[in-house]
Amino acid sequence: MRSVRARYLVYFQYVGTGFNGVAAVRGSQRAIGVQNYLEQEAAERLNSVEPVRFTISSRTDAGVHALSNTAHLDVQRRPGQPPFSPEVVAQALNTHLRHPAIRVLQVFRVPSDFHARHAATSRTYLYRLATGCPGPDQLPVFERNLCWALRTDCLDVPAMQEAAQHLLGTHDFSAFQSAGSPAASPVRTLRRASVSPGPTSPFVLPEENRKLHFWTLEFESQSFLYRQVRRMTAVLVAVGLGVLTPTQVRVILESQDPLGPASCTLQGPQYGNDDPGHRTLGLAVEPGHLDQHT
């Protein structure tokens, strides 16, 4: 009797502060990724004939959080044993996950040729900015690692919104691509690039809320280049600070000349995402300062 291999789509979330990113870190390095815990702690308890490997749909970097990332995995039980139900897989993974910052949300049984990365139809990255704060160490403790504290009291939001319109649509985004990108083509279609006031934080005292203001940057595309979102965020913040004009953002885009470290000196938070059918919703945050960002 042959053993049956079953493929599952897993939705999971994590607080990325203590991780080197979502991808597994192989070898003896001290850094560790979210995937290490999913595979080496949780999935091993499924007792698959072949080791379980997570194929993750959306990459996130060190310090980046995910509201909902996705991956597919195969579980091959011994001959005569039926495949696990999705509910059993979800319960087993959560039961044996030892890290409190990772949680499996849902599991679905999918066809054997399903691929989490190739099937993703949308990815959304969300950045939160905070103004009116002298520095990251002055943020309320509940907001640290969740937003980018800018050393300014105000941003020219209308100018940022105007600049974001230049990024919408299908373009060669070489100017916003970081070195080392494995992408075969720099052409991407940006469906959404929005800049809007963020909701008041429920974790900030009233006297602090009078000076603190939160802003949200959101980017949606089927896929992004390596560190494209960080660099777009950095450029839009530069517009908000008066360092660049909206027209200069269009010039940067059309130049197709990659922004170097000296050109992109704003650093900040980033969020990433994926979901069933299949969209990805993620939050990536890397707090930084304007001395600057994807």
Side-chain angles (χ1 to χ4, degrees):
M1 189 176 295
R2 297 176 58 188
S3 60
V4 178
R5 176 179 296 172
R7 180 161 292 188
Y8 301 90
L9 169 63
V10 178
Y11 285 83
F12 61 102
Q13 62 184 192
Y14 49 88
V15 176
T17 305
F19 298 107
N20 197 53
V22 67
V25 178
R26 310 297 183 187
S28 58
Q29 299 99 318
R30 297 182 64 182
I32 196 162
V34 173
Q35 187 177 358
N36 291 102
Y37 282 93
L38 290 169
E39 291 179 350
Q40 297 168 14
E41 284 195 348
E44 278 189 356
R45 300 301 189 96
L46 294 172
N47 295 321
S48 176
V49 173
E50 297 292 332
V52 175
R53 291 288 179 262
F54 279 66
T55 299
I56 298 173
S57 66
S58 297
R59 168 179 176 164
T60 56
D61 294 334
V64 171
H65 315 313
L67 294 175
S68 177
N69 205 338
T70 56
H72 77 254
L73 58 88
D74 293 330
V75 179
Q76 185 171 350
R77 303 197 70 192
R78 289 179 172 77
Q81 295 182 327
F84 290 120
S85 69
E87 294 76 17
V88 167
V89 173
Q91 183 179 16
L93 292 175
N94 277 326
T95 298
H96 298 293
L97 268 171
R98 300 302 177 94
H99 203 295
I102 310 170
R103 176 173 172 253
V104 171
L105 301 170
Q106 284 182 297
V107 176
F108 298 90
R109 180 81 183 270
V110 292
S112 59
D113 61 350
F114 177 87
H115 196 286
R117 183 164 59 85
H118 298 155
T121 60
S122 177
R123 293 171 171 88
T124 301
Y125 284 80
L126 166 69
Y127 275 78
R128 293 178 69 236
L129 312 175
T131 57
C133 185
D137 58 336
Q138 298 299 309
L139 274 173
V141 294
F142 298 107
E143 285 293 342
R144 293 180 189 177
N145 301 314
L146 290 176
C147 65
W148 178 11
L150 298 171
R151 302 178 192 276
T152 183
D153 291 329
C154 61
L155 290 170
D156 187 343
V157 174
M160 295 172 71
Q161 293 169 334
E162 179 184 345
Q165 296 304 301
H166 293 304
L167 301 174
L168 288 174
T170 302
H171 306 284
D172 181 325
F173 280 96
S174 293
F176 296 91
Q177 177 176 249
S178 184
S181 174
S185 169
V187 176
R188 293 292 185 272
T189 299
L190 189 62
R191 300 171 183 167
R192 178 157 48 106
S194 64
V195 182
S196 58
T200 300
S201 172
F203 306 113
V204 178
L205 294 173
E207 55 267 29
E208 293 180 296
N209 259 331
R210 284 193 288 271
K211 57 184 179 180
L212 271 178
H213 296 280
F214 295 91
W215 310 91
T216 298
L217 276 64
E218 237 177 305
F219 303 94
E220 180 187 353
S221 176
Q222 182 174 3
S223 62
F224 293 95
L225 299 171
Y226 180 50
R227 299 203 164 178
Q228 177 188 344
V229 179
R230 287 175 185 254
R231 289 167 180 249
M232 291 190 300
T233 298
V235 165
L236 292 183
V237 169
V239 171
L241 296 170
V243 177
L244 294 174
T245 66
T247 302
Q248 286 176 303
V249 173
R250 178 173 54 79
V251 172
I252 290 171
L253 175 66
E254 293 176 350
S255 75
Q256 300 177 15
D257 184 17
L259 292 165
S263 307
C264 215
T265 53
L266 302 169
Q267 294 168 350
Q270 164 192 356
Y271 294 173
N273 131 332
D274 255 282
D275 90 12
H278 165 184
R279 283 179 107 95
T280 307
L281 180 56
L283 248 101
V285 179
E286 313 171 310
H289 54 283
L290 190 95
D291 281 291
Q292 183 211 313
H293 177 180
T294 225

